[in-house]
Amino acid sequence: MNARVLRTELRRSVAPWAGAVVLTSALAFLYLLSNASWWNGTTAWTAQWTSLALWTRSLLFYLWPLAVGIGALQGLRDHRSKMIELLTSTPRPARHRAAVPAGATAITLTSAFALLVLVGGVQVPAHTDYVHLGWLPISLIGALFLVAGALLGMGAGRALPSALTPPLLAIGAFVFTALMHMSLGRTTTTDPATGFDTTRPERVSLLSPEVEEVHNVLVTVSTPVHVGQTIWLLGMALTGFALLVAATPRTRLLALTPVVAGAVLALLVLPSDPRRMYVVDRTAAQSVCDGPVCVARAHQDRLAALAAPGKEALRLLHGALGDRAPVAVRENTAVQPFGSTPRWSRTTVLFGFDDALVAGARGEELTSALLAEGLAPGCTPVGWSGFGSDDYAQTVAVGWVLGELKPLPGTSATLRREVETETRPVWKKLKALPWSEQLARINAMRDTALSCEGDPFEVLSGGAAR
């Protein structure tokens, strides 16, 4: 396939339209839903390189079925032009004829996905100083999914020349991706600590092009997943190309061998434990410190603004709690399962830059936020959001340390009256006690909050700790 033939194919086929549809629909999806999760917090699609790769990969839940359908439409071209007998009678090998449309489609789809990544990539350096190449395999396999899906669609369209083939294949591919991330590819378990149902991915779900939603900037896809998916996609692409050149029912049946073998081999390579599917990027999670205040390397550009408030929070905590006070402030780099009960440390104030208290706080507000995290860390299940007694306990505890009761950072204007009504009486009652009893109640409240067993606000109010 020389350049002249390829240019002719690009002018006359639907391949350029395939790339244009993939690129424009993906950008429209990203930019028109401006309040979606891929625009918010540290996991925004332009905030970090890994987040960029994962969010663009997540769009394959509909881009991949689209590529399969467009590929099938391309595979119907010879049938629609009624040239199959003429083309098969020429001395040119079938594989040469198939390579031209296959190559053109692969080039346009890869270029479209690369441009999508580029649109986000030019924005990432403005939001982070952390540069690495660990995100590249995620994006490369995303492009390979599009190419392999399109080739499979082309082969199926050539083998089953019907006007119904493209829409049926696209719908089938979409149903496949949906089932892999809704039911067939997931297992539901109940967390004994919270009683809530959580789901986790099964190995078979990794045959789908979509990835898990980005909940933590430090999470990436493991190497065994990359290897297994590559095997699966090479088998899919080989089957698609073999169907393009197959001329008899027997050879078409034999052409299915690579995709079946690829699926079997991939399932042998892909990890079965969810903790080995999505793993912590150890390099990104390395600590960068200024004295006792540390952040992950991925957020090293935020350390300067955090150091002074963090040290001040530790000073205030030591003055209030004495020897029981935490001695360090550190970004929480532990990745716990979605919906599980958080785990806290008695000696370290753990926080996340996406925490409601910390996200928009600066200066004195950040000091208050870190005080709250050190005194009464919340026990809302990981990945969930809510407002209630944990927040009241934090407000009273911080007010006790600072000597003034006021709303914590991140408290919305609509909730401030409610917080004042609930916390003011408890704060006054606490401050009226002798100092030793105040400290005992604060320590009991903190023990309850750190263990996530019982209600810390009830303890502050005078109830018994569980």
Side-chain angles (χ1 to χ4, degrees), residues 53-55 57-58 138 181 208-213 221 229 278:
L54 290 172
W55 278 121
R57 264 288 294 275
S58 69
I138 302 173
H181 288 267
S208 167
E210 191 181 0
V211 293
E212 293 285 288
E213 186 174 342
V221 181
Q229 290 182 337
Y278 299 92

Side-chain angles (χ1 to χ4, degrees), residues 250-393:
R250 182 180 179 182
T251 54
R252 288 168 184 157
L253 187 61
L254 289 174
L256 299 177
T257 303
V259 71
V260 174
V264 172
L265 290 175
L267 290 174
L268 293 176
V269 172
L270 293 170
S272 58
D273 187 348
R275 293 171 296 183
R276 294 180 57 235
M277 298 175 187
Y278 299 92
V279 297
V280 175
D281 183 340
R282 297 189 181 278
T283 303
Q286 288 177 351
S287 292
V288 180
C289 300
D290 182 342
V293 181
C294 301
V295 298
R297 185 178 174 188
H299 294 138
Q300 58 188 355
D301 55 317
R302 302 193 179 196
L303 180 59
L306 179 73
K311 293 173 183 177
E312 177 64 10
L314 291 176
R315 185 188 69 80
L316 291 170
L317 285 169
H318 185 269
L321 302 178
D323 294 338
R324 298 190 63 175
V327 296
V329 173
R330 180 169 61 83
E331 181 179 359
N332 192 358
T333 57
V335 177
Q336 297 175 243
F338 187 80
S340 63
T341 302
R343 298 176 184 175
W344 305 113
S345 169
R346 294 183 179 276
T347 59
T348 303
V349 178
L350 297 175
F351 73 95
F353 284 108
D354 283 331
D355 295 347
L357 284 169
V358 176
R362 299 290 185 275
E364 293 183 359
E365 283 193 344
L366 186 53
T367 299
S368 297
L370 294 174
L371 283 174
E373 298 282 18
L375 288 166
C379 290
T380 302
V382 176
W384 293 42
S385 61
F387 191 89
S389 61
D390 285 351
D391 304 273
Y392 301 150

Side-chain angles (χ1 to χ4, degrees), residues 356-357 385-392 394-395 405-424:
L357 284 169
S385 61
F387 191 89
S389 61
D390 285 351
D391 304 273
Y392 301 150
Q394 289 178 334
T395 302
L405 186 70
K406 57 183 179 180
L408 292 176
T411 305
S412 65
T414 57
L415 291 173
R416 294 196 173 201
R417 182 183 296 274
E418 176 185 337
V419 172
E420 174 72 16
T421 301
E422 294 289 339
T423 60
R424 179 69 64 176

Side-chain angles (χ1 to χ4, degrees), residues 410-442:
T411 305
S412 65
T414 57
L415 291 173
R416 294 196 173 201
R417 182 183 296 274
E418 176 185 337
V419 172
E420 174 72 16
T421 301
E422 294 289 339
T423 60
R424 179 69 64 176
V426 175
W427 180 74
K428 287 183 176 180
K429 182 179 178 182
L430 177 66
K431 295 291 286 185
L433 296 172
W435 172 254
S436 59
E437 292 186 26
Q438 292 182 38
L439 183 59
R441 191 168 292 188
I442 288 291

